[in-house]
Each structure stands twice: as structure tokens, then as C-alpha cells.
Amino acid sequence: MGAEKFKPVEEQLAYLKKGAAEIIREDELRAKLEQSAKTGKPLRVYLGVDPTAPDIHLGHTVVLRKLKHFQDLGHTAIFLIGDFSAMIGDPTGQSETRPPLTREQVEANAKTYLDQVYKILDRNKTEVRSNSEWLGKMSSYDVVRLCGHYRLARMLEREDFRSRLEKNQPISVHELLYPLLTALDAVELKADVELGATEQKFNLLVHREIQREYGQAAEVVLTMPILVGLDGERKMSKSFSNYVGITEVPREMFGKLMSISDERMWTYYELLTDFEPRVIERLREEVRTGALHPMDAKMQLAHTIIAGFHGEEAAKKASDEFRRIFRERQAPEEAPRYGVPRGAPKRLSALLVEWKLADSRSEAERLIKQGGVEIEGQRVDEVKREIDLSKPSEFLLRAGKKKFLRIVIE
């Protein structure tokens, strides 16, 4: 009955494979999609997230967008809040035992998370669950029975556990329980597909195995790549200050996205937009042949991402602001005002450091020599230039490409 409810299987597969790192196993996913098309019954697809921090950045949205793709195709998208598992702490990638969060912290983070998640997922079509629904009710008997389904040797094959053992670093028993307990999420949800980042692959494979142990068909695992941050080296993370938060003001988001390298932007196109692969390839070819300037391609990327979170009007305003500041080197509409008390004249290079527009005196002097400093739109050429602070005045100062201050001598 529902063959017409879903797009052709090959078309669905092509859409779902976009940007994916690995599908375990693709033939199983094809079979599940075929069965779904035949019966008209949507697949149950879930993403489990431990709300360990209140804010979502673009790195988190990579796998969220893949859940949206399943939702777009008519399947059931389940957003699972790991409110119980967050209090244990996922050991993935950890070099030491992570301190558990309190229930209050988890609940506060979870509420903020959901508000942000609905910027991507359809609120009316998303099934939201919390794993405390079942994990919080387990008896000691249930835990022992669960542990009997998995061997310790297999658990210690895990790279981060093995590494910590070799370095004589501690591993707490509750960390070994984490992938087993979260495997019950897949069992309870009767999941057909589970999504996660590549670094979660070990956990997801445990989930497949435990599903079989509990008499269910093993879910398909689809992993997404880790998004490299603005520094172009490490994964996007608040810890590394290389992130773009989805609730940041559009102007900030635009500036940050424009700072990524020309080569890196194609990964961002693939993982953070719904552009089809052939469209991305055409844009890339236009840049390669010179028909499209890399900055224009990057501006289109930034505009598209920001419009998704803040709307088309906000994206256009951020784009216009960027063009005015960076291309035409005009001041933003609202340059920060900085009050300065009256005093003796001072070297501009010293003031640039004092006003946090340069990190050191030598950097300030180098900026002036390179023509990177302007007062009221006039380039400053003299390294020894002094600013008269003895009487009230006001002027717009630019240092570098994007740092503006309206100096008010009071």
C-alpha cells in the first residue's frame, strides 16, 4: 500500500549517502528502505545526544541534518535526549574519567538543546524521548543481565580504553557500562537506523550487537564525519574556540564562516547545506576555472547557513554588512564606542595595544606600516604618529580588516 508514499529506494539512498562517512551496512539499509516502501511503514531513525553543554554549534548540526534528511523522506525522526546517560558520561575520546553531570545541569541543558534542535528538525514531526524513561527504571538484576550479553575483552578493544590501559590511566567501571546502557536505547526504540559521529562508531556497533541479543533485527549504523573547526586543524569545539554557535548573532556567524580556508569551504558546503553534490561540484569547477571568485562562493555558503537559522532577511543583512566592511572597508553600522579619559598625547601604536586592537607594540607598528590603520577613513602612514588626548573629540578608528572602534575622548 504505501509504495507511492516514499521516493524510489535508489533516490532515497543517494540522498542519505550525501556526506556520510560510513553506512554499516549499506545492503541492510537498502533492504530496510525496500521493505518500508513495500509496507508504507516509515523507518524508525534516531540520534541520541547527551546534553553535556547548553549550546549547539555547527559541528553538532552535521548529524542532526542527516536526521532531518530521513525526516524529509517521510521516515520517523527520533531525537533521544540522553538525560540518564549524560550523568554517566560518554568515554569516547576521553583520556581520563569525565566528572558526571548533575540531574539539574542535564535538565537545564536539555531544554536549551531542544529549542535549538527545532531550528533544523520539524517540531511537529519529531518524536522526542529521554532515555531515563527506561534506564532510570532498571533493577540491579536488569543491569547484570545486560552485562552478561557482552564480553570484557571486546570492550577493552576500544581504542580510548586500550590507550588508557597502556598508559596506566584509570578507567572506572561505570564507563564500561556506558555503551551497554545506551544500547538499550536502540532496543527500547526498536530502531531501524541510528546516527552518530565517526568517533562514536564503537558504541554504535555495540548497540547493533545488543539489539540482536535481545531478539531484534540489528539497526543500520550511519556515521557522519567530524566537522573541522575554524582553525582548519581540530574538530569544531568550544574548548578550542574554533566554533560557530547557531545562536550567535548573524554578523558574528558570517565573519567566522568567511575565515575558513577556500579548500575547507567545500566540506562545509557538503555537511552544512542541502545543496546536491552535482551543484557543489559545479560551484567548485567555476571557482577552479575563475568563473566564480572563491570569496563569492564562501559568501553564498555563509548566507545559506545563516538563513537556515536566522531567516533570509538576517542573512542578507549580515552579507551586506560583511561586504561593506571587508570589501569596501566601510565601518559597520554600529561600531563599538570606546570612552577614553583626557590626558597627554600618546603614540598610536601604544594605544592600539591598550585598546586591544593589537596584541603587542611590534604588531601595532607592523599594522601601521602595512597600511592597516585608518582614522576617519584616512590611512595612517607614520609609525610614530601621536594622538592628542588633551581635548574632547571623537573619531572612527580601523585596525586591520575588521576591527573598528569609535573613540570618544571625554
Side-chain angles (χ1 to χ4, degrees), residues 265-276:
M265 76 169 149
W266 302 116
T267 304
Y268 278 47
Y269 259 112
E270 185 175 38
L271 299 178
L272 300 174
T273 77
D274 284 337
F275 282 48
E276 293 181 12

Side-chain angles (χ1 to χ4, degrees), residues 127-141:
E127 183 179 323
V128 178
R129 303 290 294 274
S130 300
N131 62 12
S132 61
E133 292 176 36
W134 45 86
L135 297 183
K137 297 173 184 172
M138 290 181 74
S139 67
S140 53
Y141 170 81

Side-chain angles (χ1 to χ4, degrees), residues 121-217:
L121 299 176
D122 185 329
R123 183 188 295 266
N124 299 318
K125 294 180 181 176
T126 304
E127 183 179 323
V128 178
R129 303 290 294 274
S130 300
N131 62 12
S132 61
E133 292 176 36
W134 45 86
L135 297 183
K137 297 173 184 172
M138 290 181 74
S139 67
S140 53
Y141 170 81
D142 295 328
V143 175
V144 171
R145 176 173 173 249
L146 173 62
C147 291
H149 286 296
Y150 207 81
R151 297 193 305 278
L152 178 62
R154 288 287 306 280
M155 193 67 76
L156 294 178
E157 288 172 4
R158 181 181 180 140
E159 186 179 346
D160 32 13
F161 286 157
R162 190 172 66 245
S163 172
R164 281 156 69 180
L165 278 176
E166 289 169 356
K167 295 173 183 174
N168 292 319
Q169 293 173 328
I171 301 173
S172 297
V173 173
H174 76 278
E175 295 182 90
L176 302 177
L177 282 176
Y178 184 92
L180 293 175
L181 289 170
T182 53
L184 286 183
D185 298 343
V187 173
E188 290 290 333
L189 294 173
K190 296 181 172 58
D192 294 302
V193 181
E194 183 176 2
L195 309 177
T198 49
E199 62 185 5
Q200 296 166 317
K201 180 178 175 179
F202 181 92
N203 287 354
L204 304 182
L205 292 178
V206 173
H207 298 180
R208 268 172 65 89
E209 194 161 329
I210 295 298
Q211 263 189 312
R212 283 192 289 258
E213 291 287 321
Y214 277 70
Q216 293 184 8

Side-chain angles (χ1 to χ4, degrees), residues 329 348 352 357 363-375 378-381 397-404:
R329 296 212 172 173
L348 176 58
L352 289 175
L357 295 172
E363 183 190 327
E365 290 177 355
R366 185 167 59 251
L367 200 58
I368 293 170
K369 286 177 184 174
Q370 292 171 349
V373 178
E374 290 179 356
I375 293 177
Q378 297 298 309
R379 177 171 161 174
V380 177
D381 295 313
L397 175 66
R398 177 180 72 80
K401 289 183 178 178
K402 58 181 180 178
K403 292 179 180 176
F404 286 89

Side-chain angles (χ1 to χ4, degrees), residues 43-95:
L43 299 182
R44 291 182 60 76
V45 186
Y46 88 100
L47 167 64
V49 175
D50 289 351
T52 53
D55 297 318
I56 292 179
H57 56 62
L58 289 181
H60 298 125
T61 69
V62 171
V63 70
L64 260 173
R65 291 184 63 80
K66 188 54 62 180
L67 184 58
K68 174 185 178 289
H69 292 165
F70 276 96
Q71 191 174 65
D72 291 343
L73 292 170
H75 300 291
T76 302
I78 306 166
F79 184 74
L80 176 69
I81 299 169
D83 57 340
F84 187 96
S85 46
M87 292 188 290
I88 304 172
D90 184 357
T92 300
Q94 301 295 316
S95 58

